[in-house]
């Protein structure tokens, strides 16, 4: 904590930049090619009565404010400072309330898997499902994952949600298999936090083994940034998961910085192209050529391509023209739906696009 003379935000940022330079000029850092990222939060001390004293309580509140400001910075690739505003505290209080409710909500079964179909473009057949969590809160209604998964990633609770969704997927598969109904592989999302802990592959396998479900009906979706964080570790874990019989898919490909080059060493089955891929491919020839290239290389690597966010007939037609082996997932076919509705979709086996695209 430092107390500095306030001469406006620009001046503060200059002082902060100077501090950043000095730190990163230290020999210990430079000699190892390391870089320190500084995150700072600032809060302005007002002394309207001109007194030079701050009592202990006022000081403690100020320190809290600087922390709110600092924590608002989030993950960055450069040093960054933020100035406290009142909404930061409100947001923090709201987030804490959500997190405090989470465990009870889990015990009371408020977290439910919805399912979105993956469709083979050439035939409109459902070839897979993705399980996506929803929080059915008695107070707040259906809460979308973007409103709570990031919070649970901060405190680690997301790993429990992931395993809970996995169990629901296993239960569903087990019940359908027992009734002799058709099944397709179900993909579950796994947060990067799982991979930082040892024994993850064995732990997931042990859960699946509690159910009468063949392990290759479970697909693990790992986001591409997991892979980029520690490629060697990701390689080892994918190998183990593969040896245990799981299908592996790399999610959100194209949203970050990984390349097909880094992926070729991974034992994966599916590459999911992020929605942004599709959106940019509509913007011009060049982006379409990139999409074409990715699909071509993936094919050589024997990796199935799933394109996310297919919303229009034009997009589906464009993909089909590109390659008839491509799998599509998107609102054109179905939004994520509750289990009962997803069961009906599966029993029908073929899912026509909403808009009834022309042949
Ligand atoms: P994601 O894994 O990339 O999931 C795809 C998201 O895209 C889903 O949002 C899905 O509803 C949405 N989507 C599907 N088709 C379309 C489309 O045609 N257009 C548009 N605009 N969006 C489409 P959702 O269900 O809100 O999930 C958001 C994110 O929350 C997921 O992104 C995933 O990162 C995370 N998430 C959801 N469930 C879980 C979970 O059980 N565990 C973990 N760790 N993360 C989860
Ligand atoms: Ca996913
Ligand atoms: Ca995705």
């Amino acid at each position: 904590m430092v107390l500095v003379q306030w001469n406006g935000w620009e001046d503060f940022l200059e002082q902060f930049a100077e501090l950043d330079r000095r730190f990163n000029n230290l020999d210990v850092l430079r000699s190892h090619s390391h870089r320190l990222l500084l995150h700072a939060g600032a809060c302005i001390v007002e002394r309207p009565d001109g007194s030079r004293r701050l009592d202990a309580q006022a000081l403690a509140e100020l320190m809290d404010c600087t922390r709110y400001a600092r924590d608002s910075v989030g993950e960055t690739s450069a040093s960054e400072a933020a100035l406290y505003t009142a909404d930061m505290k409100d947001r923090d209080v709201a987030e804490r309330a959500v997190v405090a409710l989470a465990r009870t909500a889990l015990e009371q079964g408020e977290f439910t898997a919805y399912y979105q179909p993956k469709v083979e473009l050439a035939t409109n057949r459902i070839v897979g499902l993705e399980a996506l969590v929803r929080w059915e809160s008695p107070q707040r209604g259906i809460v979308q994952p973007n409103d709570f998964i990031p919070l649970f990633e901060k405190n680690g609770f997301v790993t429990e949600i992931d395993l809970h969704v996995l169990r629901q997927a296993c239960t569903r598969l087990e019940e359908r298999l027992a009734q002799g109904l058709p099944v397709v592989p179900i993909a579950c999302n796994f947060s990067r936090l799982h991979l930082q802990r040892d024994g993850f592959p064995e732990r997931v396998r042990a859960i699946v083994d509690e159910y009468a479900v063949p392990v290759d009906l479970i697909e693990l979706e790992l986001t591409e940034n997991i892979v980029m964080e520690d490629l060697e570790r990701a390689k080892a874990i994918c190998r183990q998961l593969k040896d245990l019989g799981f299908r592996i898919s790399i999610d959100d490909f194209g949203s970050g910085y990984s390349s097909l080059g880094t992926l070729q060493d991974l034992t994966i089955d599916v590459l999911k192209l992020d929605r942004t891929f599709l959106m940019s491919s509509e913007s011009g020839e060049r982006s379409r050529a990139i999409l074409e290239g990715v699909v071509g290389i993936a094919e050589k690597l024997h990796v199935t391509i799933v394109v996310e966010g297919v919303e229009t007939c034009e997009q589906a037609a464009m993909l089909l023209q590109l390659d008839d082996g491509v799998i599509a997932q998107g609102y054109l076919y179905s939004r994520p739906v509750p289990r009962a509705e997803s069961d009906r979709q599966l029993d029908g086996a073929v899912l026509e696009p909403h808009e009834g695209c022309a042949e």
Side-chain angles (χ1 to χ4, degrees):
M1 291 284 173
V2 268
L3 207 53
V4 294
Q5 177 75 40
W6 179 252
N7 294 315
W9 184 234
E10 290 306 314
D11 173 70
F12 179 85
L13 283 182
E14 266 170 40
Q15 295 190 50
F16 177 65
E18 176 61 21
L19 198 63
D20 188 37
R21 263 192 299 280
R22 287 207 198 170
F23 261 120
N24 283 297
N25 255 329
L26 293 175
D27 282 338
V28 275
L29 292 179
R30 291 180 46 174
S31 61
H32 290 89
S33 304
H34 283 326
R35 202 177 149 70
L36 270 188
L37 285 183
L38 306 190
H39 287 180
C43 169
I44 303 174
V45 185
E46 306 219 28
R47 276 186 285 113
D49 57 354
S51 112
R52 299 193 66 82
R53 291 198 175 183
L54 278 173
D55 64 31
Q57 195 193 340
L59 198 61
E61 276 170 24
L62 285 170
M63 282 161 56
D64 281 344
C65 294
T66 58
R67 277 193 211 101
Y68 290 134
R70 183 197 58 197
D71 294 346
S72 78
V73 171
E75 279 182 41
T76 60
S77 55
S79 293
E80 204 171 311
L83 184 61
Y84 173 76
T85 51
D87 62 304
M88 289 176 183
K89 183 172 177 181
D90 298 343
R91 198 178 320 139
D92 185 76
V93 170
E95 286 184 8
R96 274 172 207 277
V98 169
V99 170
L101 287 174
R103 182 159 299 280
T104 324
L106 182 63
E107 282 160 11
Q108 298 187 341
E110 292 176 20
F111 292 99
T112 309
Y114 276 40
Y115 299 89
Q116 187 178 34
K118 304 180 187 182
V119 175
E120 189 178 62
L121 277 166
T123 58
N124 289 335
R125 262 190 329 128
I126 299 177
V127 292
L129 298 170
E130 177 175 8
L132 292 153
V133 69
R134 298 291 181 267
W135 183 350
E136 299 178 331
S137 158
Q139 298 91 22
R140 300 195 296 157
I142 295 180
V143 189
Q144 301 299 319
N146 289 337
D147 294 332
F148 58 88
I149 293 284
L151 303 184
F152 295 167
E153 247 158 17
K154 277 196 224 160
N155 73 347
F157 190 65
V158 66
T159 58
E160 292 183 51
I161 299 280
D162 291 347
L163 298 180
H164 177 71
V165 170
L166 172 68
R167 285 180 181 282
Q168 290 192 354
C170 288
T171 304
R172 180 177 175 196
L173 284 167
E174 184 174 59
E175 287 174 7
R176 286 188 66 94
L177 285 168
Q179 293 166 39
L181 295 168
V183 293
V184 290
I186 300 183
C188 296
N189 293 280
F190 285 87
S191 151
R192 66 221 261 240
L193 296 182
H194 290 283
L195 278 83
Q196 290 162 5
R197 301 180 187 162
D198 290 329
F200 167 66
E202 294 81 3
R203 211 158 30 242
V204 213
R205 175 70 210 237
I207 291 178
V208 177
D209 284 346
E210 291 173 31
Y211 302 82
V213 170
V215 65
D216 61 359
L217 283 178
I218 297 293
E219 183 173 307
L220 281 74
E221 287 198 7
L222 310 173
T223 62
E224 70 156 24
N225 55 35
I226 294 182
V227 175
M228 294 318 287
E229 263 170 28
D230 190 342
L231 186 59
E232 286 311 311
R233 194 175 167 84
K235 258 195 234 171
I237 291 176
C238 285
R239 179 79 266 156
Q240 284 171 304
L241 287 168
K242 203 71 227 146
D243 288 344
L244 290 171
F246 288 104
R247 291 162 57 88
I248 305 172
S249 121
I250 299 297
D251 202 358
D252 302 338
F253 181 78
S255 67
Y257 301 101
S258 56
S259 68
L260 279 172
T262 45
L263 295 182
Q264 72 180 359
D265 300 338
L266 296 173
T267 50
I268 59 168
D269 305 275
V270 177
L271 191 61
K272 295 190 78 176
L273 304 193
D274 193 60
R275 219 158 68 77
T276 52
F277 237 105
L278 197 56
M279 291 180 330
S280 66
S281 74
E282 292 181 318
S283 67
E285 285 298 309
R286 261 178 76 91
S287 332
R288 187 162 321 176
I290 295 174
L291 183 64
E292 226 175 288
V294 170
V295 171
I297 297 170
E299 205 158 60
K300 286 208 186 73
L301 297 173
H302 303 291
V303 170
T304 303
I305 295 274
V306 174
V307 180
E308 294 187 285
V310 178
E311 293 182 352
T312 65
C313 293
E314 291 73 41
Q315 291 172 333
M318 187 268 285
L319 291 169
L320 186 59
Q321 201 186 16
L322 209 64
D323 187 311
D324 58 9
V326 169
I327 310 294
Q329 182 179 349
Y331 294 168
L332 176 63
Y333 298 95
S334 170
R335 293 188 174 250
V337 293
R339 174 177 165 176
E341 195 175 336
S342 180
D343 277 334
R344 281 194 292 278
Q345 292 177 345
L346 257 190
D347 293 338
V350 173
L351 199 61
E352 295 299 336
H354 282 331
E355 304 177 8
C357 303
E359 284 295 300

